[in-house]
Amino acid sequence: MRSQVLLRSAVDSDAEALVALWGDALRRGDHAQQLDDVRNVVDRVSAMPEEQIVVGVLDDRVVGAVYLRATTWSPVNLERVVLAISPHVLPEFRRHGVGSALMESAVAFAEELGIGHVGTAVESGSRESNRFMARLALGPAATLRVAATATVKARLHANDPAARARGRHLTQVLAARRSMRRTPSAT
């Protein structure tokens, strides 16, 4: 049975609940750092007309949240889209209509701004989340791949002597630039 989900904009006092919801998506650190990060995000978003954090409340408890951002598809494709970032629902409240209500808020936000597309990103390994988004007609448009900078550098240079030479040259250029910034300029 679906419960009536109350949707509202996040406020500073929701920070603790947002850390519980978004813990895996936040930067690594202790709980106090994550709480401070979330408070900063909530404060920043409250002043941004094209961004908002929507929380889903059941029985006076925040049980879901989504960060909405009106942006472009990419820096080179300037078509507008509303991104539903980190849509999360507490596991014990899934299948109660919270996720659908959060995504409805993304659609309403897009319509309010006259934007014709809604997009989201879900963890590639989250079968349940991917199936939910597919049922809402959200299909894959891109694959975001991420690795540590040092790992990518090592792989690039592993079998390519020219890349190793470019890397050494770039390192020398960057070191020279840093050195120039530290040296007071003569006037």
Side-chain angles (χ1 to χ4, degrees):
M1 186 168 93
R2 294 189 179 254
S3 305
Q4 185 62 29
V5 180
L6 169 70
L7 297 177
R8 63 172 174 75
S9 293
V11 294
D12 190 61
S13 61
D14 295 325
E16 190 73 49
L18 291 171
V19 169
L21 282 162
W22 289 340
D24 292 342
L26 299 173
R27 73 174 165 155
R28 291 190 174 118
D30 65 22
H31 182 75
Q33 289 173 315
Q34 290 182 331
L35 195 57
D36 191 46
D37 284 353
V38 168
R39 285 189 175 121
N40 287 332
V41 170
V42 170
D43 288 343
R44 185 184 55 77
V45 168
S46 66
M48 309 281 287
E50 293 202 338
E51 296 184 26
Q52 65 177 273
I53 299 172
V54 177
V55 294
V57 179
L58 284 174
D59 300 324
D60 297 323
R61 181 176 176 197
V62 174
V63 297
V66 64
Y67 185 122
L68 304 176
R69 173 184 280 168
T71 187
T72 59
W73 276 83
S74 75
V76 296
N77 181 341
L78 302 183
E79 187 171 353
R80 306 270 293 151
V81 63
V82 167
L83 294 180
I85 301 164
S86 291
H88 281 73
V89 177
L90 291 175
E92 63 269 28
F93 290 94
R94 293 183 183 148
R95 302 197 188 288
H96 288 83
V98 179
S100 294
L102 293 172
M103 292 307 292
E104 285 175 18
S105 73
V107 169
F109 190 55
E111 289 176 338
E112 177 185 319
L113 297 173
I115 296 174
H117 291 90
V118 172
T120 190
V122 295
E123 292 180 38
S124 60
S126 176
R127 182 177 178 192
E128 184 178 347
S129 296
N130 279 291
R131 293 179 86 187
F132 174 74
M133 294 303 174
R135 283 194 303 274
L136 296 178
L138 289 142
T143 300
L144 175 66
R145 295 181 177 269
V146 180
T149 304
T151 303
V152 176
K153 181 178 179 179
R155 295 285 173 93
L156 284 169
H157 295 182
N159 298 318
D160 185 1
R164 282 194 296 271
R166 283 191 307 273
R168 280 192 301 271
H169 177 71
L170 179 60
T171 301
Q172 291 167 347
V173 169
L174 293 174
R177 286 183 184 167
R178 281 191 298 271
S179 176
M180 288 171 54
R181 273 188 251 137
R182 279 183 260 158
T183 306
S185 59
T187 55

